[in-house]
Amino acid sequence: MTERLPPGARGPTGAGGTTRSGRAFGLGALLVVAAPALTGCGPERTMLSPVSTDAGRAADLWWLMFWIGAVIWTLVTAATLYALYRRGRGQQDPLARRRWENTPLIWGGIVLPSIVLVLVTGVTVDAMRRTDHRAGPGTMVVQVIGHQWWWEVRYPERDVVTANEVRVPAGRPVRIELTTADVIHSFWVPALAGKVDLIPGRTNTLWINTDRPGVYEGQCAEFCGLQHARMRFRVVVAPEPTFRQWLAGQEQPATEPADELAVRGREVFLSASCVHCHSIRGTAEVGASGPDLTHLASRDTLAAGIMPNTKGHLGGWIVDPQQVKPGARMPGSDLSPDDLQALLAYLGSLE
Ligand code: HEC
Ligand SMILES: [Cu+2]
């Protein structure tokens, strides 16, 4: 006789169990598919296409750990499936037999992890040692100072200050000296070098050494407050002559305004609040809490790499920075449209 269940009752493998595991599986699959998007790493900021020997070492480490992880994951999954298969067929769990009891524990729980951890630690320490270079005769020093939420960039050998763009010559070792004006930040240009923190009261160093000219995207990699995600920068690697030309230009004081509109723009700049926070060398050199604007027009981006340096974006930023970057340490302004146009003409002339 067949046993009948009352309507609505569930058998031992009832629908409840199936849908629950089905849902868990669906969620798992979704996470796997979404993972690359959730990391927030676009193709322009990946450490897997290195263009320097140092970044190559970091990428090699990444791949080593990836493959070790892949092998371990495969082994553990195979063992789990095997145990389930034995149980499903009503066989005794092989791991439960006395003779076996401690063997998998000793090998899988102690010996294997120890080998893996010692290996990975050794390889990592070696890579760290190799990327910590010594200053030589050709070394160039660039100081980078972190601010909420932008980067001050200084060339101490010349009297050059800029922001959010680190220009370096190709084929020469560059020592980046990292400090911070407020909280902890982290300097990360994945294609060029590892990641080093900017810590209050300390100077950390990071080396950039590549012979491949290009523009490499960087990002603050240590949560530092509201606009941490919009604290970007770029490293521009240029051939030596191009770099020298740029540096010589940056050394000059600000260009004198060439027409009446720009002259008026300079008046606006000097009479508005701007001078309390910004310097323009040769014009007003008091403000230091915001980026130096002496050669603003020579930069490609504005407000820590979040938008292109165009007249429209610049105007929008000056009128209402809080709209663009809420929390940014710059207040909005209530300039008249004429004053704003004059100011934009002046700032746009600061090549
Ligand atoms: C209270 C200080 C303060 C005042 C006043 C101020 N700024 Fe700023 N400004 C900042 C800070 C801080 C930043 C960096 C914001 C960021 O990227 O998060 C900034 C960024 C900028 C930038 C972008 C620079 C770059 O290289 O990305 C421009 C341009 C600028 N300010 C122009 C002005 C002008 C023009 C005025 C006057 C109307 C002004 N600022 C008033 C603090 C100030
Ligand atoms: Cu930061």
Side-chain angles (χ1 to χ4, degrees), residues 147-151 183-186 220-225 227-228 231:
H147 294 260
Q148 284 172 319
W149 291 276
W150 59 283
W151 309 83
V183 299
I184 301 180
H185 303 274
S186 186
C220 178
E222 179 71 55
F223 181 72
C224 59
Q227 287 298 341
H228 158 68
M231 186 169 165

Side-chain angles (χ1 to χ4, degrees), residues 9-205:
R10 285 171 183 162
T13 52
T18 318
T19 47
R20 212 177 302 135
S21 60
R23 236 180 274 139
F25 180 79
L27 189 67
L30 188 73
L31 277 178
V32 169
V33 174
L38 290 175
T39 60
C41 297
E44 76 277 13
R45 270 173 286 160
T46 168
M47 58 171 293
L48 297 181
S49 34
V51 299
S52 75
T53 324
D54 289 350
R57 291 206 169 92
D60 288 348
L61 273 181
W62 191 92
W63 281 112
L64 175 74
M65 289 186 201
F66 173 82
W67 286 116
I68 291 177
V71 168
I72 292 174
W73 183 85
T74 310
L75 288 176
V76 170
T77 308
T80 310
L81 290 177
Y82 179 63
L84 285 174
Y85 166 79
R86 298 278 300 222
R87 270 191 76 190
R89 296 192 22 164
Q91 292 172 2
Q92 195 194 12
D93 186 343
L95 304 190
R97 261 184 281 155
R98 264 240 152 270
R99 187 159 56 84
W100 272 81
E101 215 168 44
N102 291 329
T103 318
L105 258 179
I106 289 170
W107 283 95
I110 299 174
V111 179
L112 190 64
S114 303
I115 294 174
V116 168
L117 290 179
V118 168
L119 176 83
V120 169
T121 308
V123 176
T124 305
V125 169
D126 182 59
M128 284 167 73
R129 200 175 50 79
R130 283 168 194 272
T131 49
D132 185 18
H133 306 282
R134 288 265 159 74
T139 303
M140 198 185 74
V141 175
V142 181
Q143 295 169 335
V144 173
I145 301 139
H147 294 260
Q148 284 172 319
W149 291 276
W150 59 283
W151 309 83
E152 181 181 340
V153 182
R154 293 180 164 266
Y155 294 74
E157 293 150 21
R158 311 289 197 93
D159 194 12
V160 169
V161 189
T162 179
N164 305 319
E165 273 176 21
V166 183
R167 292 200 185 232
V168 299
R172 220 170 6 126
V174 179
R175 194 162 93 134
I176 312 274
E177 296 182 350
L178 302 159
T179 53
T180 169
D182 38 52
V183 299
I184 301 180
H185 303 274
S186 186
F187 184 92
W188 192 37
V189 209
L192 289 175
K195 187 190 285 177
V196 171
D197 280 6
L198 291 71
I199 296 170
R202 273 193 66 124
T203 303
N204 285 340
T205 55

Side-chain angles (χ1 to χ4, degrees), residues 200-348:
R202 273 193 66 124
T203 303
N204 285 340
T205 55
L206 176 112
W207 288 84
I208 286 181
N209 191 359
T210 179
D211 43 22
R212 299 251 301 266
V215 178
Y216 304 102
E217 299 286 335
Q219 164 77 47
C220 178
E222 179 71 55
F223 181 72
C224 59
L226 199 56
Q227 287 298 341
H228 158 68
R230 291 215 192 92
M231 186 169 165
R232 299 187 197 151
F233 62 99
R234 40 178 50 195
V235 174
V236 182
V237 181
E240 184 87 35
T242 319
F243 171 76
R244 295 210 153 275
Q245 206 182 344
W246 173 83
L247 198 63
Q250 297 288 313
E251 230 174 345
Q252 305 300 317
T255 335
E256 283 296 309
D259 54 36
E260 233 171 90
L261 191 64
V263 171
R264 180 160 160 223
R266 183 166 68 179
E267 289 308 311
V268 174
F269 180 82
L270 292 173
S271 55
S273 59
C274 324
V275 280
H276 298 299
C277 304
H278 295 286
S279 279
I280 295 185
R281 263 175 295 136
T283 304
E285 309 185 23
V286 188
S289 63
D292 185 291
L293 302 180
T294 311
H295 296 287
L296 175 69
S298 71
R299 304 207 268 271
D300 297 332
T301 62
L302 290 173
I306 65 169
M307 53 194 173
N309 187 0
T310 62
K311 196 174 173 188
H313 281 116
L314 186 57
W317 171 260
I318 291 171
V319 171
D320 193 2
Q322 300 302 316
Q323 177 74 30
V324 186
K325 202 170 173 180
R329 301 280 156 94
M330 169 163 157
S333 57
D334 47 8
L335 299 168
S336 72
D338 285 351
D339 283 353
L340 180 64
Q341 287 309 321
L343 181 60
L344 289 176
Y346 174 55
L347 293 177

